[in-house]
Amino acid sequence: MNPLALLVPDYTLRVVALGAGMLGLVAGALGCFAVLRRQSLLGDAISHAALPGIVLAFLLTGAKNPLVLVLGAALAGWLGTLVVTLIVRHSRLPADSALGIVLSVFFGAGLVLLTWVQQMPTAAQAGLDTFLFGQAATMLAGDVVVITTLGSIALLAVAVFWKEFKLLTFDPEYGATQGLPMRSIDILLTTFLVIAIVIGLQTVGVVLMSALVIAPAAAARQWTDSLGVMVLLAAGFGAIAGVGGALLSGAAEHMPTGPTIVLSAMVLVMLSVSFAPRRGLVWDAVQRRRQRQQLRTDAVLADLHELAQHHKGAHAHDVTVLQMMRGSRTDVPRALGVLRSRGLADRDAAGGWYITEAGRDEITRPGGAGHGDEHGH
Amino acid sequence: MRDDVAIEINDLTVAYREQPVLWDVDLTVPAGVLMAIVGPNGAGKTTLIKSVLGLLKPAAGRILVHGRPYREQRRLVAYVPQRGTVDWDFPTNVLDVVQMGRYGALGWVRRTGRREREQALAALEQVDMVDYADRQISQLSGGQQQRVFLARALVQDARVYLMDEPFQGVDAKTERAIVTVLQSLREAGNTVVVVHHALQTVPEYFDWVTLLNVRLITAGPVAEVFTGENLRVTYGGRVPFHGSMPPVSQEQL
């Protein structure tokens, strides 16, 4: 028996989970390149630009064939990126203005067409408006076939052109001197980004689809310093957000799927930004705290050293003296405890503190405690 | 293939929005020299090497590399861009970046393998960075980044090396390491062209120099053309140079 059938016994839910998972997988993987190329806004422009393509494809064929609608969306989305490129190349408008213009003009045209189509006397157009905010519940087996087929092609392309896409993303100018046609590779990568976006439009909606492109990649970047791992993680995060969002929206009546998917993705982003090792905020705070305590401990050791030099010998000092030297912001007893456990300072029978031989070595060692604020690693 | 002349530039004019950046430049770079391109900001130094690399479309002019157009001679030319041109927070490590120098030779789709890995390690050895092979590139200092870029050019195994300000903002150790590599490249018969800023090190590091300020001022052996008069013409009278005015010779430095 199909393992998915055991996990999700309801057939409709199973179809929805499979489709949403697949489109999340693809959007997450392709999104990595968009995020690393600082083209996050391009995803937004593509998804919004796709709307008139969807409506026109419906108008031309008179039916809601999923493949036809996706093709219409892809053509319009692709045309949108082409217009952006042309504006940037032939005018003095900066890229973000070009993206903003294309996004709003195409989306506006799409809304006008959509409103007009919905006033038509036939019933065939019913449901086209779900492309705005997405509706996972409308997903049929035929849609999943289209999503899975096109998505697999996009994922396969990432695997096949891995080296080319990496070079384009990291250093396109150097890539050109290598004799690789970077402009063609750019068109190729953008085409697969368009595919990743348009297969999600029915489920996630044109308004919020770009979040599923950006969020999983942004979250994945927090956890790894390898492009390969990042793409795999982002694909996983995208699938989780897709399935999670689809199931959430399925649980409430008339809840569009786009917002629930975006919220699921944002949970992943927030967890990653907070808790990822090395790049996360919590990690940062812990490191800073540790460094601060290290500096304060070193300072107390330096005080002991200074006192010892002043008194010419192993003369012990009371905690209160050391506390006065450091001020109230340093927990001197704690620092002394740390120094003692490291064998750098010790306490005599009367409870006075003094610096040990090892402590003196530590102070005079280059890069040691006596050398102030050079404590990186 | 011509063996005596590495780069031959005729009537090169490059404009950016109708503003000429290079104007009617004729330049012959003999094979086997270590050449500095020197000139003030905006003189077109970077533009010149980018034109040779086909990265910019000249308004006019002809450029030959070892006797043939660059398009046919790509494998002979390696490029070291300014290190500020890429995002060093990119998720990859040193070894991976250096192997990118083999991507062109590999061609479409083919993956790097053990051979590319060994070439990359050998190049890292040359720039004294082999211990950093697995290091994430965001953890490198400026000088280490520059040496990684140099290693990436070395694996290309080219005849002509074009470098854009490899000494910009690097530590003294890196500068020495790079100079040593450049000189050994020349010893092996290669041609090395370097966009360079520090005039005082020109006679020490280089044997050939091109003085450029939109137009070509002069080019030739350092001992002959790197004179105070030529520098004054290049820099319009304001030579960013400490100490006495040249003629500069080895003894003065």
Side-chain angles (χ1 to χ4, degrees), chain A residues 36 38 92 159 163-164 166-167 169-171 173-174 176-179 181 185 221 225-227 279, chain B residues 17 50 55 70 74 79 86-87 89-92 96 100-101 103-104 107-111 136 152 156:
Chain A
L36 289 173
R38 300 173 192 275
R92 298 199 176 190
K163 157 173 131 269
E164 285 77 12
K166 182 165 64 181
L167 188 58
T169 308
F170 179 63
D171 197 350
E173 200 164 67
Y174 181 75
T177 71
Q178 288 273 305
I185 295 170
R221 179 69 188 92
D225 279 332
S226 147
L227 182 62
R279 299 176 81 94
Chain B
R17 296 199 194 286
K50 282 194 174 178
L55 294 172
Y70 168 75
R74 236 178 218 128
Y79 174 42
V86 302
D87 173 14
D89 197 32
F90 190 84
T92 190
D96 192 40
M100 288 179 187
Y103 282 12
W108 281 88
V109 179
R110 278 179 59 200
R111 300 297 182 97
Q136 216 285 318
R152 185 177 68 167
Q156 288 184 251

Side-chain angles (χ1 to χ4, degrees), chain A residues 18 52 74 84 101 177 199 210 228 357:
Chain A
L18 190 64
V84 170
I101 289 167
T177 71
I199 60 175
S210 68
E357 203 56 48

Side-chain angles (χ1 to χ4, degrees), chain A residues 112 119 191 297 330 355 367 375:
Chain A
V112 168
Q119 286 161 355
T191 303
T297 307
T330 303
I355 188 167
H375 280 274

Side-chain angles (χ1 to χ4, degrees), chain A residues 317-331:
Chain A
H317 297 273
D318 199 62
V319 174
T320 38
V321 175
L322 293 158
Q323 186 73 63
M324 276 167 69
M325 288 175 82
R326 273 297 109 201
S328 59
R329 290 186 58 187
T330 303
D331 185 352

Side-chain angles (χ1 to χ4, degrees), chain A residues 16-42:
Chain A
V16 167
L18 190 64
M22 185 67 190
L23 68 89
L25 202 74
V26 181
L30 268 301
C32 290
F33 295 97
V35 166
L36 289 173
R37 297 180 74 197
R38 300 173 192 275
Q39 288 189 330
S40 301
L41 259 179
L42 184 67

